[in-house]
Coordinates of all heavy atoms in Angstrom, one line a residue:
K1 N -5.1 22.7 -43.9 CA -5.0 21.7 -42.9 C -4.6 22.4 -41.6 O -3.6 23.1 -41.6 CB -4.0 20.7 -43.4 CG -3.7 19.6 -42.3 CD -2.7 18.6 -42.9 CE -2.3 17.7 -41.8 NZ -1.3 16.7 -42.2
G2 N -5.3 22.1 -40.6 CA -4.9 22.7 -39.3 C -4.2 21.7 -38.4 O -4.1 20.5 -38.7
L3 N -3.6 22.3 -37.4 CA -2.8 21.4 -36.4 C -3.8 20.7 -35.5 O -4.7 21.3 -34.9 CB -1.9 22.3 -35.6 CG -1.0 21.7 -34.6 CD1 0.0 20.8 -35.4 CD2 -0.2 22.8 -33.9
D4 N -3.6 19.4 -35.3 CA -4.5 18.6 -34.5 C -4.1 18.9 -33.1 O -3.1 18.4 -32.6 CB -4.4 17.1 -34.8 CG -5.3 16.3 -34.0 OD1 -6.2 16.8 -33.3 OD2 -5.1 15.0 -34.0
V5 N -5.0 19.5 -32.3 CA -4.7 19.8 -30.9 C -5.8 19.1 -30.0 O -6.1 19.5 -28.9 CB -4.7 21.3 -30.6 CG1 -3.5 21.9 -31.2 CG2 -6.0 22.0 -31.1
S6 N -6.4 18.0 -30.6 CA -7.4 17.3 -29.8 C -6.7 16.7 -28.5 O -5.5 16.4 -28.5 CB -8.0 16.2 -30.6 OG -7.0 15.4 -31.2
V7 N -7.5 16.6 -27.5 CA -7.0 16.0 -26.3 C -7.5 14.6 -26.1 O -8.6 14.3 -26.2 CB -7.5 16.9 -25.1 CG1 -7.1 16.4 -23.7 CG2 -7.1 18.4 -25.3
D8 N -6.5 13.8 -25.7 CA -6.9 12.4 -25.4 C -7.1 12.3 -23.9 O -7.2 13.2 -23.2 CB -5.9 11.4 -25.9 CG -4.5 11.7 -25.3 OD1 -4.3 12.4 -24.4 OD2 -3.5 11.0 -25.8
E9 N -7.1 11.1 -23.4 CA -7.3 10.8 -22.0 C -5.9 10.6 -21.3 O -5.8 9.7 -20.5 CB -8.2 9.6 -21.8 CG -9.6 9.8 -22.3 CD -10.3 11.0 -21.6 OE1 -10.2 11.1 -20.4 OE2 -10.9 11.8 -22.3
T10 N -5.0 11.5 -21.6 CA -3.7 11.5 -21.0 C -3.8 11.5 -19.4 O -4.6 12.4 -18.9 CB -2.8 12.7 -21.4 OG1 -2.6 12.5 -22.8 CG2 -1.5 12.6 -20.8
D11 N -3.2 10.6 -18.8 CA -3.3 10.5 -17.3 C -2.3 11.4 -16.7 O -1.1 11.2 -16.7 CB -3.2 9.1 -16.8 CG -3.2 9.0 -15.3 OD1 -3.8 9.9 -14.7 OD2 -2.8 8.0 -14.8
I12 N -2.7 12.6 -16.1 CA -1.8 13.4 -15.5 C -1.7 13.3 -14.0 O -1.0 14.0 -13.3 CB -2.2 15.0 -15.8 CG1 -3.6 15.3 -15.3 CG2 -2.0 15.2 -17.3 CD1 -4.0 16.7 -15.5
S13 N -2.4 12.3 -13.5 CA -2.4 12.0 -12.0 C -1.1 11.5 -11.5 O -0.9 11.5 -10.3 CB -3.6 11.1 -11.6 OG -3.3 9.8 -12.1
K14 N -0.2 11.1 -12.4 CA 1.2 10.7 -11.9 C 1.9 11.9 -11.3 O 2.9 11.6 -10.6 CB 1.9 10.0 -13.0 CG 2.5 10.9 -14.1 CD 3.3 10.2 -15.1 CE 3.9 11.1 -16.1 NZ 4.8 10.4 -17.0
Y15 N 1.5 13.0 -11.6 CA 2.1 14.3 -11.1 C 1.4 14.6 -9.8 O 0.2 14.9 -9.8 CB 2.1 15.4 -12.1 CG 2.8 15.1 -13.4 CD1 2.2 14.8 -14.5 CD2 4.2 15.3 -13.4 CE1 2.9 14.5 -15.7 CE2 4.9 15.0 -14.5 CZ 4.2 14.6 -15.7 OH 5.0 14.4 -16.8
G16 N 2.1 14.5 -8.7 CA 1.5 14.8 -7.4 C 0.8 16.1 -7.2 O -0.1 16.3 -6.4
D17 N 1.2 17.1 -8.0 CA 0.6 18.4 -8.0 C -0.4 18.7 -9.1 O -0.7 19.9 -9.3 CB 1.7 19.5 -7.9 CG 2.6 19.4 -9.0 OD1 2.6 18.5 -9.9 OD2 3.5 20.3 -9.1
F18 N -0.9 17.7 -9.8 CA -1.8 17.9 -10.9 C -3.1 18.7 -10.5 O -3.7 19.4 -11.3 CB -2.2 16.6 -11.6 CG -3.2 15.8 -10.9 CD1 -4.5 15.9 -11.2 CD2 -2.9 14.9 -9.9 CE1 -5.5 15.1 -10.6 CE2 -3.8 14.1 -9.3 CZ -5.1 14.3 -9.6
S19 N -3.5 18.6 -9.2 CA -4.7 19.2 -8.8 C -4.5 20.7 -8.7 O -5.5 21.5 -8.6 CB -5.1 18.7 -7.4 OG -4.1 19.0 -6.4
E20 N -3.3 21.2 -8.8 CA -3.0 22.7 -8.8 C -3.2 23.3 -10.2 O -3.1 24.6 -10.3 CB -1.6 22.9 -8.3 CG -1.3 22.5 -6.8 CD 0.1 22.8 -6.4 OE1 0.7 23.7 -7.0 OE2 0.5 22.0 -5.5
I21 N -3.4 22.5 -11.2 CA -3.6 23.0 -12.5 C -5.0 23.7 -12.5 O -6.0 23.1 -12.2 CB -3.5 21.9 -13.6 CG1 -2.2 21.2 -13.6 CG2 -3.9 22.5 -15.0 CD1 -2.1 20.0 -14.4
S22 N -5.0 24.9 -13.0 CA -6.3 25.6 -13.1 C -7.2 24.8 -14.0 O -6.8 24.3 -15.0 CB -6.1 27.0 -13.7 OG -5.3 27.8 -12.8
E23 N -8.5 24.8 -13.7 CA -9.5 24.0 -14.4 C -9.5 24.4 -15.9 O -9.6 23.4 -16.7 CB -10.9 24.3 -13.9 CG -11.9 23.3 -14.5 CD -13.3 23.5 -13.8 OE1 -13.4 23.9 -12.6 OE2 -14.3 23.2 -14.5
Y24 N -9.4 25.7 -16.3 CA -9.4 26.0 -17.7 C -8.2 25.5 -18.5 O -8.2 25.4 -19.7 CB -9.5 27.6 -17.8 CG -8.2 28.3 -17.5 CD1 -7.2 28.5 -18.4 CD2 -8.0 28.7 -16.2 CE1 -6.1 29.2 -18.1 CE2 -6.8 29.4 -15.8 CZ -5.9 29.6 -16.8 OH -4.7 30.3 -16.4
A25 N -7.1 25.2 -17.7 CA -5.9 24.8 -18.4 C -5.6 23.3 -18.5 O -4.7 22.8 -19.1 CB -4.7 25.4 -17.7
V26 N -6.6 22.5 -17.9 CA -6.3 21.1 -17.8 C -6.2 20.4 -19.2 O -5.3 19.6 -19.5 CB -7.4 20.3 -17.0 CG1 -7.4 18.8 -17.1 CG2 -7.4 20.8 -15.5
D27 N -7.0 20.7 -20.2 CA -7.0 20.1 -21.5 C -5.7 20.5 -22.2 O -5.0 19.7 -22.9 CB -8.2 20.5 -22.3 CG -9.4 19.7 -22.0 OD1 -9.4 18.7 -21.2 OD2 -10.6 20.2 -22.3
A28 N -5.3 21.8 -22.1 CA -4.1 22.2 -22.7 C -2.9 21.5 -22.1 O -1.9 21.2 -22.8 CB -3.9 23.8 -22.6
M29 N -2.9 21.3 -20.8 CA -1.8 20.7 -20.1 C -1.7 19.2 -20.5 O -0.7 18.6 -20.7 CB -1.9 20.7 -18.6 CG -1.6 22.1 -18.0 SD 0.1 22.6 -18.3 CE 0.9 21.6 -17.0
K30 N -2.9 18.5 -20.6 CA -2.9 17.2 -21.2 C -2.3 17.0 -22.5 O -1.5 16.1 -22.8 CB -4.3 16.6 -21.1 CG -4.9 16.3 -19.8 CD -6.3 15.7 -19.9 CE -6.8 15.3 -18.6 NZ -8.2 14.7 -18.7
Y31 N -2.7 18.0 -23.4 CA -2.1 18.0 -24.7 C -0.6 18.2 -24.7 O 0.2 17.5 -25.3 CB -2.8 19.1 -25.6 CG -2.1 19.2 -27.0 CD1 -2.5 18.4 -28.0 CD2 -1.1 20.1 -27.2 CE1 -1.8 18.5 -29.2 CE2 -0.4 20.2 -28.4 CZ -0.8 19.4 -29.4 OH -0.2 19.5 -30.7
A32 N -0.2 19.1 -23.9 CA 1.3 19.5 -23.8 C 2.0 18.3 -23.3 O 3.2 18.0 -23.7 CB 1.5 20.8 -23.0
I33 N 1.5 17.6 -22.3 CA 2.2 16.5 -21.7 C 2.2 15.3 -22.7 O 3.2 14.7 -22.9 CB 1.6 16.2 -20.3 CG1 1.9 17.2 -19.3 CG2 2.1 14.8 -19.9 CD1 1.0 17.1 -18.1
A34 N 1.1 15.0 -23.3 CA 1.0 13.9 -24.2 C 1.9 14.1 -25.4 O 2.4 13.1 -25.9 CB -0.5 13.8 -24.7
N35 N 2.1 15.3 -25.8 CA 3.0 15.5 -27.0 C 4.4 16.0 -26.6 O 5.1 16.3 -27.5 CB 2.3 16.6 -27.9 CG 1.1 16.1 -28.5 OD1 1.2 15.3 -29.5 ND2 -0.1 16.4 -27.9
G36 N 4.8 15.8 -25.4 CA 6.2 16.1 -25.0 C 6.6 17.5 -24.9 O 7.8 17.8 -24.8
I37 N 5.6 18.5 -25.0 CA 6.0 19.9 -24.9 C 6.4 20.2 -23.5 O 7.3 21.0 -23.3 CB 4.7 20.7 -25.4 CG1 4.4 20.4 -26.8 CG2 5.0 22.2 -25.2 CD1 3.1 21.0 -27.3
I38 N 5.6 19.7 -22.6 CA 6.0 19.8 -21.1 C 6.3 18.5 -20.5 O 5.5 17.5 -20.8 CB 4.8 20.5 -20.4 CG1 4.6 21.9 -20.9 CG2 5.0 20.5 -18.9 CD1 3.4 22.6 -20.3
K39 N 7.3 18.4 -19.8 CA 7.7 17.1 -19.2 C 7.7 17.2 -17.7 O 7.9 16.1 -17.1 CB 9.1 16.6 -19.8 CG 9.0 16.4 -21.3 CD 10.3 15.8 -21.8 CE 10.1 15.6 -23.3 NZ 11.1 14.8 -23.9
G40 N 7.5 18.3 -17.2 CA 7.5 18.4 -15.7 C 8.8 18.8 -15.1 O 9.9 18.6 -15.8
K41 N 8.8 19.2 -13.9 CA 10.1 19.5 -13.2 C 10.8 18.3 -12.8 O 12.0 18.2 -12.6 CB 9.8 20.3 -11.9 CG 9.1 21.7 -12.2 CD 10.1 22.7 -12.7 CE 9.4 24.1 -12.9 NZ 10.2 25.1 -13.2
S42 N 10.0 17.2 -12.6 CA 10.5 15.9 -12.3 C 9.5 14.9 -12.8 O 8.5 15.2 -13.4 CB 10.8 15.7 -10.8 OG 9.5 15.6 -10.1
A43 N 9.7 13.6 -12.6 CA 8.7 12.5 -13.0 C 7.4 12.6 -12.3 O 6.4 12.1 -12.8 CB 9.4 11.2 -12.9
T44 N 7.4 13.3 -11.2 CA 6.2 13.4 -10.3 C 5.7 14.8 -10.0 O 4.8 15.0 -9.2 CB 6.4 12.6 -9.0 OG1 7.5 13.2 -8.3 CG2 6.7 11.1 -9.3
K45 N 6.4 15.8 -10.6 CA 6.0 17.2 -10.2 C 6.0 18.1 -11.5 O 7.0 18.1 -12.3 CB 7.1 17.8 -9.3 CG 6.8 19.2 -8.8 CD 7.8 19.7 -7.8 CE 7.4 21.1 -7.4 NZ 8.4 21.6 -6.4
L46 N 4.9 18.8 -11.7 CA 4.7 19.7 -12.8 C 5.0 21.2 -12.3 O 5.6 21.9 -13.1 CB 3.2 19.7 -13.2 CG 2.9 18.6 -14.2 CD1 1.3 18.6 -14.4 CD2 3.6 18.6 -15.5
D47 N 4.7 21.5 -11.1 CA 4.8 22.8 -10.6 C 4.1 23.9 -11.4 O 4.6 24.8 -11.9 CB 6.3 23.2 -10.5 CG 6.5 24.3 -9.4 OD1 5.5 24.7 -8.7 OD2 7.7 24.8 -9.4
P48 N 2.7 23.6 -11.6 CA 1.9 24.5 -12.5 C 1.8 25.9 -12.1 O 1.4 26.8 -12.9 CB 0.6 23.7 -12.6 CG 0.5 23.0 -11.3 CD 1.9 22.6 -11.0
K49 N 2.0 26.2 -10.9 CA 1.8 27.6 -10.4 C 3.2 28.4 -10.5 O 3.2 29.6 -10.3 CB 1.4 27.6 -8.9 CG 0.0 27.0 -8.8 CD -1.1 27.7 -9.4 CE -2.4 27.1 -9.1 NZ -3.5 27.6 -9.9
A50 N 4.3 27.7 -10.9 CA 5.6 28.4 -11.0 C 5.7 29.2 -12.3 O 5.0 28.9 -13.2 CB 6.6 27.4 -10.9
E51 N 6.5 30.2 -12.3 CA 6.8 30.9 -13.5 C 7.8 30.2 -14.3 O 8.8 29.5 -13.7 CB 7.3 32.3 -13.1 CG 6.3 33.2 -12.5 CD 6.8 34.6 -12.2 OE1 8.0 35.0 -12.6 OE2 6.2 35.3 -11.4
A52 N 7.7 30.2 -15.6 CA 8.6 29.5 -16.5 C 9.8 30.4 -16.7 O 9.7 31.6 -16.9 CB 8.0 29.1 -17.8
T53 N 11.0 29.8 -16.7 CA 12.2 30.6 -17.0 C 12.3 30.7 -18.5 O 11.6 30.1 -19.3 CB 13.5 29.8 -16.6 OG1 13.6 28.6 -17.4 CG2 13.4 29.5 -15.1
R54 N 13.1 31.6 -19.0 CA 13.3 31.9 -20.4 C 13.8 30.5 -21.1 O 13.3 30.2 -22.2 CB 14.4 32.9 -20.7 CG 13.8 34.3 -20.6 CD 14.8 35.4 -21.0 NE 15.2 36.0 -19.8 CZ 16.2 36.8 -19.6 NH1 17.0 37.1 -20.7 NH2 16.5 37.4 -18.5
A55 N 14.6 29.8 -20.5 CA 15.1 28.6 -21.0 C 14.0 27.6 -21.2 O 13.9 26.8 -22.2 CB 16.2 28.0 -20.1
E56 N 13.1 27.5 -20.2 CA 12.0 26.6 -20.2 C 11.1 26.9 -21.3 O 10.6 26.0 -22.0 CB 11.3 26.5 -18.9 CG 12.1 25.8 -17.8 CD 11.5 26.0 -16.4 OE1 10.8 27.0 -16.1 OE2 11.7 25.1 -15.5
V57 N 10.8 28.2 -21.5 CA 9.9 28.7 -22.6 C 10.5 28.4 -23.9 O 9.9 27.9 -24.9 CB 9.6 30.2 -22.4 CG1 8.8 30.7 -23.6 CG2 8.8 30.4 -21.2
A58 N 11.8 28.6 -24.1 CA 12.5 28.3 -25.3 C 12.4 26.8 -25.7 O 12.2 26.5 -26.8 CB 14.0 28.7 -25.2
V59 N 12.6 26.0 -24.7 CA 12.4 24.5 -25.0 C 11.0 24.2 -25.4 O 10.8 23.4 -26.3 CB 12.9 23.7 -23.7 CG1 12.5 22.3 -23.9 CG2 14.3 23.8 -23.5
M60 N 10.0 24.8 -24.7 CA 8.6 24.4 -25.1 C 8.3 24.9 -26.5 O 7.7 24.2 -27.3 CB 7.7 25.1 -24.0 CG 7.7 24.4 -22.7 SD 6.4 25.0 -21.6 CE 7.2 26.5 -21.0
L61 N 8.8 26.2 -26.8 CA 8.5 26.7 -28.2 C 9.2 25.8 -29.2 O 8.7 25.6 -30.3 CB 9.0 28.2 -28.2 CG 8.1 29.2 -27.5 CD1 8.8 30.5 -27.5 CD2 6.7 29.3 -28.1
S62 N 10.4 25.4 -28.9 CA 11.1 24.5 -29.9 C 10.3 23.2 -30.1 O 10.2 22.7 -31.2 CB 12.5 24.2 -29.3 OG 13.2 23.3 -30.2
R63 N 9.8 22.6 -29.0 CA 9.0 21.4 -29.1 C 7.7 21.6 -29.9 O 7.3 20.8 -30.7 CB 8.7 20.8 -27.7 CG 10.0 20.3 -27.1 CD 9.7 19.9 -25.7 NE 10.9 19.4 -25.0 CZ 11.1 19.3 -23.7 NH1 10.1 19.6 -22.9 NH2 12.2 18.8 -23.2
V64 N 7.1 22.8 -29.7 CA 5.9 23.1 -30.4 C 6.2 23.3 -31.9 O 5.5 22.8 -32.8 CB 5.2 24.4 -29.9 CG1 4.1 24.9 -30.9 CG2 4.6 24.2 -28.5
N65 N 7.3 23.9 -32.2 CA 7.8 24.1 -33.6 C 8.0 22.8 -34.2 O 7.6 22.5 -35.4 CB 9.0 25.0 -33.6 CG 9.5 25.3 -35.1 OD1 8.7 25.8 -35.8 ND2 10.7 24.8 -35.4
D66 N 8.7 21.9 -33.5 CA 8.9 20.5 -34.1 C 7.6 19.8 -34.4 O 7.5 19.2 -35.5 CB 9.7 19.7 -33.1 CG 11.1 20.1 -32.9 OD1 11.6 20.9 -33.7 OD2 11.8 19.7 -31.9
I67 N 6.6 19.9 -33.6 CA 5.3 19.3 -33.8 C 4.7 19.9 -35.0 O 4.2 19.3 -35.9 CB 4.4 19.4 -32.6 CG1 4.9 18.5 -31.4 CG2 3.0 19.1 -32.9 CD1 4.3 18.8 -30.1
F68 N 4.7 21.3 -35.1 CA 4.1 22.0 -36.2 C 4.8 21.6 -37.6 O 4.1 21.4 -38.6 CB 4.2 23.5 -36.0 CG 3.6 24.3 -37.1 CD1 2.3 24.4 -37.3 CD2 4.6 24.9 -38.0 CE1 1.8 25.2 -38.4 CE2 4.0 25.7 -39.1 CZ 2.7 25.8 -39.3
M69 N 6.1 21.5 -37.5 CA 6.8 21.2 -38.7 C 6.5 19.8 -39.3 O 6.4 19.6 -40.5 CB 8.3 21.4 -38.6 CG 8.7 22.9 -38.3 SD 8.1 24.0 -39.6 CE 9.1 23.6 -41.0
K70 N 6.3 18.9 -38.4 CA 5.9 17.5 -38.7 C 4.5 17.5 -39.4 O 4.2 16.8 -40.3 CB 5.9 16.6 -37.5 CG 7.3 16.2 -37.1 CD 7.3 15.3 -35.9 CE 8.7 15.2 -35.3 NZ 8.7 14.5 -34.0
E71 N 3.6 18.3 -38.8 CA 2.2 18.4 -39.3 C 2.1 19.0 -40.6 O 1.2 18.6 -41.4 CB 1.4 19.2 -38.3 CG 1.1 18.4 -37.0 CD 0.1 17.3 -37.1 OE1 -0.9 17.5 -37.9 OE2 0.2 16.4 -36.4
V72 N 2.9 20.0 -41.0 CA 2.8 20.7 -42.3 C 3.5 20.0 -43.4 O 3.3 20.3 -44.6 CB 3.2 22.2 -42.2 CG1 2.4 23.0 -41.2 CG2 4.7 22.3 -41.8
K73 N 4.2 19.0 -43.1 CA 4.9 18.2 -44.2 C 4.0 17.3 -44.9 O 3.1 16.8 -44.4 CB 6.1 17.5 -43.7 CG 7.3 18.5 -43.3 CD 8.5 17.8 -42.9 CE 9.6 18.8 -42.6 NZ 10.8 18.1 -42.3

């Protein structure tokens, strides 16, 4: 059984800077936002061109792990 990473029609337009997301990354960002992996810098800002801090990466990895653990049970 694999992890379901299908992309739905998550509306990312609530983030004012969504147009800065590289085209190749849009589906991955939709998945990450829809599943709570990424929540943005604020309710209206993703800042997709910024570098992630170690703390931000740790939080994202923890959230991915939580999703994975739910899927494998």
Side-chain angles (χ1 to χ4, degrees):
K1 177 179 169 180
L3 185 62
D4 179 13
V5 294
S6 57
V7 177
D8 62 9
E9 292 304 312
T10 300
D11 182 18
I12 59 174
S13 66
K14 72 177 185 176
Y15 297 100
D17 56 355
F18 78 95
S19 63
E20 294 178 30
I21 300 170
S22 297
E23 187 175 332
Y24 72 88
V26 170
D27 285 345
M29 288 294 285
K30 285 183 176 181
Y31 175 83
I33 291 166
N35 289 282
I37 298 168
I38 295 175
K39 298 189 179 190
K41 300 281 183 173
S42 72
T44 59
K45 183 177 181 182
L46 282 171
D47 203 8
K49 300 291 185 192
E51 294 181 9
T53 66
R54 276 186 255 171
E56 289 168 333
V57 172
V59 168
M60 288 185 281
L61 288 172
S62 176
R63 291 174 181 163
V64 168
N65 183 62
D66 291 346
I67 292 168
F68 177 75
M69 294 308 289
K70 287 178 188 172
E71 289 283 327
V72 297
K73 287 185 178 182

